[in-house]
Amino acid sequence: YGECVKEVAISIYNQWGERVFEDTGASPYWDGTFRGKELNSDVFAYNAKIILVTGEEISKVGNVTLLK
């Protein structure tokens, strides 16, 4: 993220709305698992809030596809 991003908060949800991942920090990383088990290929929804070093907040929502 370079020097512009202070923090990222991200949540990822399955098709039933169950949160399968949540993390905050400078560079969150999801390995495609939930409760210690690998998930199958699928489309997941995400919410992300990015806080820049200037204090500006950016919110993003969308989909991410998990491929194996």
Side-chain angles (χ1 to χ4, degrees):
Y1 296 110
E3 299 175 10
C4 298
V5 175
K6 180 178 179 182
E7 184 176 314
V8 176
I10 188 166
S11 296
I12 298 176
Y13 301 87
N14 65 19
Q15 61 186 342
W16 297 281
E18 183 177 19
R19 186 172 44 222
V20 297
F21 176 77
E22 181 176 46
D23 197 9
T24 59
S27 55
Y29 171 79
W30 180 44
D31 63 2
T33 62
F34 178 53
R35 295 183 180 157
K37 296 183 180 179
E38 289 187 15
L39 295 173
N40 293 324
S41 296
D42 208 342
V43 177
F44 297 83
Y46 72 85
N47 295 343
K49 182 171 85 171
I50 301 123
I51 301 173
L52 304 179
V53 293
T54 62
E56 180 183 358
E57 291 186 14
I58 301 168
S59 295
K60 297 286 182 181
V61 296
N63 295 313
V64 60
T65 302
L66 177 63
L67 298 175
K68 294 191 164 201

